[in-house]
Amino acid sequence: MKPFRQQNRRVISYVPRVEPAPPDHALKVDGFRDVWQLRGKYVAFVLMGEHFRRSPTFTVPESAQRWAMQIRQDGDIE
């Protein structure tokens, strides 16, 4: 069996961007608490303290909402 290439490759973890508010051109997706449509992709904005945390872009809104739920659990935010 061949070994995987780039075995010692560094894992890149996503650090959520901190923003004052969702952008004006983002459209709220109906049926989801934290999901906005931005340039054809889905992004979650979670309010933590006084700022919003922005998720990476997703192709389906369910994934963005799952990301938001995970961030809420990790940060104990309701």
Side-chain angles (χ1 to χ4, degrees):
M1 203 168 127
K2 284 173 118 179
F4 292 117
R5 285 190 211 160
Q6 302 175 347
Q7 284 179 326
N8 296 326
R9 192 167 160 185
R10 203 167 52 104
V11 175
I12 299 171
S13 60
Y14 179 78
V15 177
R17 288 176 45 178
V18 176
E19 300 194 5
D24 292 334
H25 60 277
L27 302 171
K28 184 86 169 95
V29 178
D30 290 335
F32 294 96
R33 179 177 175 185
D34 305 302
V35 182
W36 299 73
Q37 189 170 10
L38 194 62
R39 295 187 190 98
K41 300 283 185 181
Y42 298 98
V43 177
F45 288 94
V46 178
L47 183 62
M48 298 186 82
E50 297 177 0
H51 301 285
F52 283 89
R53 293 284 172 97
R54 178 183 167 172
S55 73
T57 58
F58 296 100
T59 55
V60 291
E62 290 83 5
S63 298
Q65 186 61 52
R66 271 198 309 271
W67 181 90
M69 297 298 280
Q70 187 65 47
I71 289 296
R72 276 201 168 81
Q73 285 179 357
D74 292 350
D76 288 328
I77 303 294
E78 190 54 45

